[in-house]
Amino acid sequence: NDPDLGEQNVMAVSWYQNSAEAKALYLQGYNTAKYQLDEHIKKNKGKKKLAIALDLDETVLDNSPYQGYASMHDTSFPEGWHEWVAAAKAKPVYGAKSFLKYADKKGID
């Protein structure tokens, strides 16, 4: 029960939710993914059905509101996780939605 650890967790969640750097990193990652996808489509030339597999947590969906709540209420995973998931309030991280729409328009599973 290190009080500094709780404060650091609050600061980390705040940085993640508010920093331009975090948003820029997501956009950079998804822009790179779009470029790579286009390269794979060119090389594939319709030979095989292409697909993308992604992790959801902090790759596609932003679960930082759960982390923020847990930090402010001195709890941790898995406490409250089931309720957070059931509420279906997670929003996409920056760049994820546009990338996935782009991939869908290209016929990617």
PDB file of all heavy atoms in Angstrom, residues 3-33:
ATOM      1  N   PRO A   3       1.489   4.835  -0.902  1.00  0.00           N
ATOM      2  CA  PRO A   3       0.661   5.969  -1.338  1.00  0.00           C
ATOM      3  C   PRO A   3       1.204   6.627  -2.599  1.00  0.00           C
ATOM      4  O   PRO A   3       0.440   7.156  -3.408  1.00  0.00           O
ATOM      5  CB  PRO A   3       0.678   6.926  -0.151  1.00  0.00           C
ATOM      6  CG  PRO A   3       1.795   6.494   0.721  1.00  0.00           C
ATOM      7  CD  PRO A   3       2.062   5.050   0.422  1.00  0.00           C
ATOM      8  N   ASP A   4       2.521   6.586  -2.805  1.00  0.00           N
ATOM      9  CA  ASP A   4       3.092   7.162  -4.014  1.00  0.00           C
ATOM     10  C   ASP A   4       2.655   6.394  -5.253  1.00  0.00           C
ATOM     11  O   ASP A   4       2.456   6.979  -6.319  1.00  0.00           O
ATOM     12  CB  ASP A   4       4.619   7.164  -3.939  1.00  0.00           C
ATOM     13  CG  ASP A   4       5.155   8.162  -2.938  1.00  0.00           C
ATOM     14  OD1 ASP A   4       4.427   9.124  -2.602  1.00  0.00           O
ATOM     15  OD2 ASP A   4       6.296   7.984  -2.486  1.00  0.00           O
ATOM     16  N   LEU A   5       2.503   5.083  -5.123  1.00  0.00           N
ATOM     17  CA  LEU A   5       2.088   4.257  -6.247  1.00  0.00           C
ATOM     18  C   LEU A   5       0.686   4.645  -6.716  1.00  0.00           C
ATOM     19  O   LEU A   5       0.435   4.758  -7.917  1.00  0.00           O
ATOM     20  CB  LEU A   5       2.141   2.775  -5.883  1.00  0.00           C
ATOM     21  CG  LEU A   5       1.917   1.789  -7.016  1.00  0.00           C
ATOM     22  CD1 LEU A   5       2.928   2.002  -8.134  1.00  0.00           C
ATOM     23  CD2 LEU A   5       2.011   0.370  -6.500  1.00  0.00           C
ATOM     24  N   GLY A   6      -0.239   4.866  -5.792  1.00  0.00           N
ATOM     25  CA  GLY A   6      -1.587   5.298  -6.155  1.00  0.00           C
ATOM     26  C   GLY A   6      -1.574   6.634  -6.867  1.00  0.00           C
ATOM     27  O   GLY A   6      -2.274   6.832  -7.875  1.00  0.00           O
ATOM     28  N   GLU A   7      -0.769   7.563  -6.389  1.00  0.00           N
ATOM     29  CA  GLU A   7      -0.665   8.883  -7.017  1.00  0.00           C
ATOM     30  C   GLU A   7      -0.060   8.765  -8.410  1.00  0.00           C
ATOM     31  O   GLU A   7      -0.502   9.426  -9.350  1.00  0.00           O
ATOM     32  CB  GLU A   7       0.194   9.799  -6.153  1.00  0.00           C
ATOM     33  CG  GLU A   7       0.286  11.219  -6.681  1.00  0.00           C
ATOM     34  CD  GLU A   7       1.109  12.115  -5.781  1.00  0.00           C
ATOM     35  OE1 GLU A   7       1.092  11.923  -4.548  1.00  0.00           O
ATOM     36  OE2 GLU A   7       1.779  13.005  -6.321  1.00  0.00           O
ATOM     37  N   GLN A   8       0.934   7.900  -8.546  1.00  0.00           N
ATOM     38  CA  GLN A   8       1.557   7.694  -9.851  1.00  0.00           C
ATOM     39  C   GLN A   8       0.563   7.092 -10.842  1.00  0.00           C
ATOM     40  O   GLN A   8       0.574   7.431 -12.026  1.00  0.00           O
ATOM     41  CB  GLN A   8       2.785   6.800  -9.712  1.00  0.00           C
ATOM     42  CG  GLN A   8       3.926   7.478  -9.000  1.00  0.00           C
ATOM     43  CD  GLN A   8       5.044   6.517  -8.664  1.00  0.00           C
ATOM     44  OE1 GLN A   8       5.085   5.380  -9.132  1.00  0.00           O
ATOM     45  NE2 GLN A   8       5.969   6.967  -7.832  1.00  0.00           N
ATOM     46  N   ASN A   9      -0.290   6.200 -10.360  1.00  0.00           N
ATOM     47  CA  ASN A   9      -1.299   5.600 -11.224  1.00  0.00           C
ATOM     48  C   ASN A   9      -2.279   6.666 -11.712  1.00  0.00           C
ATOM     49  O   ASN A   9      -2.633   6.699 -12.887  1.00  0.00           O
ATOM     50  CB  ASN A   9      -2.028   4.477 -10.491  1.00  0.00           C
ATOM     51  CG  ASN A   9      -2.807   3.591 -11.422  1.00  0.00           C
ATOM     52  OD1 ASN A   9      -2.563   3.558 -12.627  1.00  0.00           O
ATOM     53  ND2 ASN A   9      -3.759   2.867 -10.874  1.00  0.00           N
ATOM     54  N   VAL A  10      -2.713   7.543 -10.825  1.00  0.00           N
ATOM     55  CA  VAL A  10      -3.619   8.633 -11.214  1.00  0.00           C
ATOM     56  C   VAL A  10      -2.947   9.519 -12.259  1.00  0.00           C
ATOM     57  O   VAL A  10      -3.562   9.890 -13.267  1.00  0.00           O
ATOM     58  CB  VAL A  10      -4.063   9.459  -9.984  1.00  0.00           C
ATOM     59  CG1 VAL A  10      -4.788  10.723 -10.397  1.00  0.00           C
ATOM     60  CG2 VAL A  10      -4.936   8.622  -9.065  1.00  0.00           C
ATOM     61  N   MET A  11      -1.692   9.860 -12.029  1.00  0.00           N
ATOM     62  CA  MET A  11      -0.965  10.708 -12.986  1.00  0.00           C
ATOM     63  C   MET A  11      -0.794  10.007 -14.332  1.00  0.00           C
ATOM     64  O   MET A  11      -0.902  10.639 -15.383  1.00  0.00           O
ATOM     65  CB  MET A  11       0.386  11.121 -12.409  1.00  0.00           C
ATOM     66  CG  MET A  11       0.268  12.101 -11.261  1.00  0.00           C
ATOM     67  SD  MET A  11       1.838  12.801 -10.687  1.00  0.00           S
ATOM     68  CE  MET A  11       2.790  11.348 -10.287  1.00  0.00           C
ATOM     69  N   ALA A  12      -0.539   8.705 -14.306  1.00  0.00           N
ATOM     70  CA  ALA A  12      -0.371   7.957 -15.555  1.00  0.00           C
ATOM     71  C   ALA A  12      -1.667   7.947 -16.365  1.00  0.00           C
ATOM     72  O   ALA A  12      -1.648   8.162 -17.581  1.00  0.00           O
ATOM     73  CB  ALA A  12       0.078   6.529 -15.257  1.00  0.00           C
ATOM     74  N   VAL A  13      -2.779   7.716 -15.701  1.00  0.00           N
ATOM     75  CA  VAL A  13      -4.075   7.710 -16.398  1.00  0.00           C
ATOM     76  C   VAL A  13      -4.372   9.104 -16.942  1.00  0.00           C
ATOM     77  O   VAL A  13      -4.824   9.255 -18.078  1.00  0.00           O
ATOM     78  CB  VAL A  13      -5.215   7.215 -15.474  1.00  0.00           C
ATOM     79  CG1 VAL A  13      -6.571   7.408 -16.129  1.00  0.00           C
ATOM     80  CG2 VAL A  13      -5.008   5.750 -15.111  1.00  0.00           C
ATOM     81  N   SER A  14      -4.091  10.121 -16.159  1.00  0.00           N
ATOM     82  CA  SER A  14      -4.315  11.500 -16.605  1.00  0.00           C
ATOM     83  C   SER A  14      -3.479  11.815 -17.837  1.00  0.00           C
ATOM     84  O   SER A  14      -3.971  12.407 -18.801  1.00  0.00           O
ATOM     85  CB  SER A  14      -3.989  12.475 -15.472  1.00  0.00           C
ATOM     86  OG  SER A  14      -4.180  13.791 -15.901  1.00  0.00           O
ATOM     87  N   TRP A  15      -2.207  11.407 -17.818  1.00  0.00           N
ATOM     88  CA  TRP A  15      -1.359  11.639 -18.988  1.00  0.00           C
ATOM     89  C   TRP A  15      -1.931  10.931 -20.207  1.00  0.00           C
ATOM     90  O   TRP A  15      -2.051  11.513 -21.274  1.00  0.00           O
ATOM     91  CB  TRP A  15       0.077  11.142 -18.735  1.00  0.00           C
ATOM     92  CG  TRP A  15       0.943  11.330 -19.947  1.00  0.00           C
ATOM     93  CD1 TRP A  15       1.639  12.454 -20.286  1.00  0.00           C
ATOM     94  CD2 TRP A  15       1.164  10.388 -21.005  1.00  0.00           C
ATOM     95  NE1 TRP A  15       2.280  12.264 -21.495  1.00  0.00           N
ATOM     96  CE2 TRP A  15       2.007  11.010 -21.954  1.00  0.00           C
ATOM     97  CE3 TRP A  15       0.731   9.081 -21.246  1.00  0.00           C
ATOM     98  CZ2 TRP A  15       2.428  10.366 -23.117  1.00  0.00           C
ATOM     99  CZ3 TRP A  15       1.147   8.442 -22.411  1.00  0.00           C
ATOM    100  CH2 TRP A  15       1.989   9.083 -23.326  1.00  0.00           C
ATOM    101  N   TYR A  16      -2.286   9.672 -20.026  1.00  0.00           N
ATOM    102  CA  TYR A  16      -2.811   8.882 -21.139  1.00  0.00           C
ATOM    103  C   TYR A  16      -4.055   9.530 -21.742  1.00  0.00           C
ATOM    104  O   TYR A  16      -4.215   9.604 -22.953  1.00  0.00           O
ATOM    105  CB  TYR A  16      -3.127   7.461 -20.656  1.00  0.00           C
ATOM    106  CG  TYR A  16      -3.720   6.591 -21.721  1.00  0.00           C
ATOM    107  CD1 TYR A  16      -2.909   5.922 -22.624  1.00  0.00           C
ATOM    108  CD2 TYR A  16      -5.097   6.438 -21.843  1.00  0.00           C
ATOM    109  CE1 TYR A  16      -3.453   5.128 -23.619  1.00  0.00           C
ATOM    110  CE2 TYR A  16      -5.649   5.641 -22.829  1.00  0.00           C
ATOM    111  CZ  TYR A  16      -4.821   4.991 -23.715  1.00  0.00           C
ATOM    112  OH  TYR A  16      -5.355   4.216 -24.703  1.00  0.00           O
ATOM    113  N   GLN A  17      -4.947  10.017 -20.894  1.00  0.00           N
ATOM    114  CA  GLN A  17      -6.209  10.581 -21.367  1.00  0.00           C
ATOM    115  C   GLN A  17      -6.065  11.977 -21.959  1.00  0.00           C
ATOM    116  O   GLN A  17      -6.900  12.378 -22.765  1.00  0.00           O
ATOM    117  CB  GLN A  17      -7.229  10.627 -20.227  1.00  0.00           C
ATOM    118  CG  GLN A  17      -7.709   9.274 -19.794  1.00  0.00           C
ATOM    119  CD  GLN A  17      -8.674   9.342 -18.625  1.00  0.00           C
ATOM    120  OE1 GLN A  17      -8.700  10.301 -17.859  1.00  0.00           O
ATOM    121  NE2 GLN A  17      -9.481   8.293 -18.477  1.00  0.00           N
ATOM    122  N   ASN A  18      -5.039  12.717 -21.575  1.00  0.00           N
ATOM    123  CA  ASN A  18      -4.969  14.123 -21.945  1.00  0.00           C
ATOM    124  C   ASN A  18      -3.786  14.531 -22.811  1.00  0.00           C
ATOM    125  O   ASN A  18      -3.772  15.661 -23.311  1.00  0.00           O
ATOM    126  CB  ASN A  18      -4.957  14.983 -20.664  1.00  0.00           C
ATOM    127  CG  ASN A  18      -6.229  14.799 -19.879  1.00  0.00           C
ATOM    128  OD1 ASN A  18      -7.303  15.119 -20.337  1.00  0.00           O
ATOM    129  ND2 ASN A  18      -6.103  14.246 -18.679  1.00  0.00           N
ATOM    130  N   SER A  19      -2.813  13.689 -22.982  1.00  0.00           N
ATOM    131  CA  SER A  19      -1.606  14.115 -23.680  1.00  0.00           C
ATOM    132  C   SER A  19      -1.751  14.056 -25.199  1.00  0.00           C
ATOM    133  O   SER A  19      -2.332  13.118 -25.754  1.00  0.00           O
ATOM    134  CB  SER A  19      -0.412  13.258 -23.262  1.00  0.00           C
ATOM    135  OG  SER A  19      -0.484  11.982 -23.846  1.00  0.00           O
ATOM    136  N   ALA A  20      -1.190  15.061 -25.838  1.00  0.00           N
ATOM    137  CA  ALA A  20      -1.130  15.066 -27.297  1.00  0.00           C
ATOM    138  C   ALA A  20      -0.205  13.956 -27.792  1.00  0.00           C
ATOM    139  O   ALA A  20      -0.433  13.383 -28.862  1.00  0.00           O
ATOM    140  CB  ALA A  20      -0.648  16.420 -27.794  1.00  0.00           C
ATOM    141  N   GLU A  21       0.820  13.639 -26.999  1.00  0.00           N
ATOM    142  CA  GLU A  21       1.772  12.606 -27.400  1.00  0.00           C
ATOM    143  C   GLU A  21       1.106  11.241 -27.530  1.00  0.00           C
ATOM    144  O   GLU A  21       1.383  10.510 -28.488  1.00  0.00           O
ATOM    145  CB  GLU A  21       2.924  12.508 -26.382  1.00  0.00           C
ATOM    146  CG  GLU A  21       3.792  13.731 -26.305  1.00  0.00           C
ATOM    147  CD  GLU A  21       3.309  14.752 -25.281  1.00  0.00           C
ATOM    148  OE1 GLU A  21       2.201  14.604 -24.731  1.00  0.00           O
ATOM    149  OE2 GLU A  21       4.043  15.710 -25.040  1.00  0.00           O
ATOM    150  N   ALA A  22       0.246  10.898 -26.582  1.00  0.00           N
ATOM    151  CA  ALA A  22      -0.431   9.600 -26.655  1.00  0.00           C
ATOM    152  C   ALA A  22      -1.306   9.523 -27.903  1.00  0.00           C
ATOM    153  O   ALA A  22      -1.301   8.511 -28.611  1.00  0.00           O
ATOM    154  CB  ALA A  22      -1.260   9.354 -25.394  1.00  0.00           C
ATOM    155  N   LYS A  23      -2.029  10.591 -28.171  1.00  0.00           N
ATOM    156  CA  LYS A  23      -2.880  10.620 -29.373  1.00  0.00           C
ATOM    157  C   LYS A  23      -2.035  10.504 -30.637  1.00  0.00           C
ATOM    158  O   LYS A  23      -2.366   9.764 -31.561  1.00  0.00           O
ATOM    159  CB  LYS A  23      -3.720  11.892 -29.381  1.00  0.00           C
ATOM    160  CG  LYS A  23      -4.732  11.954 -28.258  1.00  0.00           C
ATOM    161  CD  LYS A  23      -5.378  13.333 -28.180  1.00  0.00           C
ATOM    162  CE  LYS A  23      -6.344  13.440 -27.039  1.00  0.00           C
ATOM    163  NZ  LYS A  23      -5.725  13.475 -25.715  1.00  0.00           N
ATOM    164  N   ALA A  24      -0.925  11.246 -30.664  1.00  0.00           N
ATOM    165  CA  ALA A  24      -0.041  11.212 -31.829  1.00  0.00           C
ATOM    166  C   ALA A  24       0.552   9.822 -32.049  1.00  0.00           C
ATOM    167  O   ALA A  24       0.687   9.371 -33.190  1.00  0.00           O
ATOM    168  CB  ALA A  24       1.073  12.242 -31.673  1.00  0.00           C
ATOM    169  N   LEU A  25       0.898   9.133 -30.967  1.00  0.00           N
ATOM    170  CA  LEU A  25       1.448   7.784 -31.099  1.00  0.00           C
ATOM    171  C   LEU A  25       0.435   6.815 -31.695  1.00  0.00           C
ATOM    172  O   LEU A  25       0.777   5.972 -32.527  1.00  0.00           O
ATOM    173  CB  LEU A  25       1.956   7.278 -29.751  1.00  0.00           C
ATOM    174  CG  LEU A  25       3.229   7.959 -29.254  1.00  0.00           C
ATOM    175  CD1 LEU A  25       3.494   7.596 -27.794  1.00  0.00           C
ATOM    176  CD2 LEU A  25       4.411   7.591 -30.126  1.00  0.00           C
ATOM    177  N   TYR A  26      -0.820   6.927 -31.261  1.00  0.00           N
ATOM    178  CA  TYR A  26      -1.862   6.074 -31.854  1.00  0.00           C
ATOM    179  C   TYR A  26      -2.029   6.382 -33.333  1.00  0.00           C
ATOM    180  O   TYR A  26      -2.113   5.475 -34.170  1.00  0.00           O
ATOM    181  CB  TYR A  26      -3.195   6.249 -31.128  1.00  0.00           C
ATOM    182  CG  TYR A  26      -3.324   5.395 -29.901  1.00  0.00           C
ATOM    183  CD1 TYR A  26      -3.437   5.965 -28.646  1.00  0.00           C
ATOM    184  CD2 TYR A  26      -3.349   4.010 -29.993  1.00  0.00           C
ATOM    185  CE1 TYR A  26      -3.562   5.181 -27.510  1.00  0.00           C
ATOM    186  CE2 TYR A  26      -3.470   3.213 -28.872  1.00  0.00           C
ATOM    187  CZ  TYR A  26      -3.581   3.808 -27.634  1.00  0.00           C
ATOM    188  OH  TYR A  26      -3.696   3.019 -26.516  1.00  0.00           O
ATOM    189  N   LEU A  27      -2.088   7.669 -33.672  1.00  0.00           N
ATOM    190  CA  LEU A  27      -2.244   8.042 -35.078  1.00  0.00           C
ATOM    191  C   LEU A  27      -1.061   7.554 -35.905  1.00  0.00           C
ATOM    192  O   LEU A  27      -1.239   7.054 -37.017  1.00  0.00           O
ATOM    193  CB  LEU A  27      -2.412   9.554 -35.211  1.00  0.00           C
ATOM    194  CG  LEU A  27      -3.727  10.106 -34.694  1.00  0.00           C
ATOM    195  CD1 LEU A  27      -3.720  11.636 -34.735  1.00  0.00           C
ATOM    196  CD2 LEU A  27      -4.906   9.562 -35.483  1.00  0.00           C
ATOM    197  N   GLN A  28       0.129   7.693 -35.369  1.00  0.00           N
ATOM    198  CA  GLN A  28       1.314   7.207 -36.071  1.00  0.00           C
ATOM    199  C   GLN A  28       1.227   5.699 -36.302  1.00  0.00           C
ATOM    200  O   GLN A  28       1.512   5.207 -37.395  1.00  0.00           O
ATOM    201  CB  GLN A  28       2.569   7.550 -35.270  1.00  0.00           C
ATOM    202  CG  GLN A  28       3.854   7.101 -35.930  1.00  0.00           C
ATOM    203  CD  GLN A  28       5.064   7.430 -35.082  1.00  0.00           C
ATOM    204  OE1 GLN A  28       5.001   7.426 -33.850  1.00  0.00           O
ATOM    205  NE2 GLN A  28       6.173   7.710 -35.720  1.00  0.00           N
ATOM    206  N   GLY A  29       0.827   4.972 -35.277  1.00  0.00           N
ATOM    207  CA  GLY A  29       0.707   3.524 -35.405  1.00  0.00           C
ATOM    208  C   GLY A  29      -0.321   3.111 -36.444  1.00  0.00           C
ATOM    209  O   GLY A  29      -0.059   2.238 -37.282  1.00  0.00           O
ATOM    210  N   TYR A  30      -1.475   3.751 -36.413  1.00  0.00           N
ATOM    211  CA  TYR A  30      -2.516   3.384 -37.373  1.00  0.00           C
ATOM    212  C   TYR A  30      -2.199   3.874 -38.782  1.00  0.00           C
ATOM    213  O   TYR A  30      -2.569   3.219 -39.766  1.00  0.00           O
ATOM    214  CB  TYR A  30      -3.891   3.855 -36.897  1.00  0.00           C
ATOM    215  CG  TYR A  30      -4.486   2.860 -35.921  1.00  0.00           C
ATOM    216  CD1 TYR A  30      -4.643   3.172 -34.575  1.00  0.00           C
ATOM    217  CD2 TYR A  30      -4.859   1.592 -36.342  1.00  0.00           C
ATOM    218  CE1 TYR A  30      -5.165   2.244 -33.687  1.00  0.00           C
ATOM    219  CE2 TYR A  30      -5.374   0.660 -35.466  1.00  0.00           C
ATOM    220  CZ  TYR A  30      -5.528   0.992 -34.138  1.00  0.00           C
ATOM    221  OH  TYR A  30      -6.035   0.065 -33.269  1.00  0.00           O
ATOM    222  N   ASN A  31      -1.509   4.996 -38.921  1.00  0.00           N
ATOM    223  CA  ASN A  31      -1.079   5.427 -40.251  1.00  0.00           C
ATOM    224  C   ASN A  31      -0.059   4.457 -40.830  1.00  0.00           C
ATOM    225  O   ASN A  31      -0.096   4.137 -42.021  1.00  0.00           O
ATOM    226  CB  ASN A  31      -0.503   6.847 -40.203  1.00  0.00           C
ATOM    227  CG  ASN A  31      -1.579   7.892 -40.076  1.00  0.00           C
ATOM    228  OD1 ASN A  31      -2.734   7.665 -40.431  1.00  0.00           O
ATOM    229  ND2 ASN A  31      -1.213   9.048 -39.552  1.00  0.00           N
ATOM    230  N   THR A  32       0.831   3.962 -39.989  1.00  0.00           N
ATOM    231  CA  THR A  32       1.797   2.951 -40.425  1.00  0.00           C
ATOM    232  C   THR A  32       1.075   1.660 -40.808  1.00  0.00           C
ATOM    233  O   THR A  32       1.404   1.026 -41.814  1.00  0.00           O
ATOM    234  CB  THR A  32       2.831   2.682 -39.321  1.00  0.00           C
ATOM    235  OG1 THR A  32       3.511   3.901 -39.019  1.00  0.00           O
ATOM    236  CG2 THR A  32       3.831   1.618 -39.727  1.00  0.00           C
ATOM    237  N   ALA A  33       0.078   1.282 -40.018  1.00  0.00           N
ATOM    238  CA  ALA A  33      -0.703   0.076 -40.325  1.00  0.00           C
ATOM    239  C   ALA A  33      -1.419   0.220 -41.668  1.00  0.00           C
ATOM    240  O   ALA A  33      -1.475  -0.735 -42.448  1.00  0.00           O
ATOM    241  CB  ALA A  33      -1.703  -0.194 -39.213  1.00  0.00           C
TER     242      ALA A  33
END
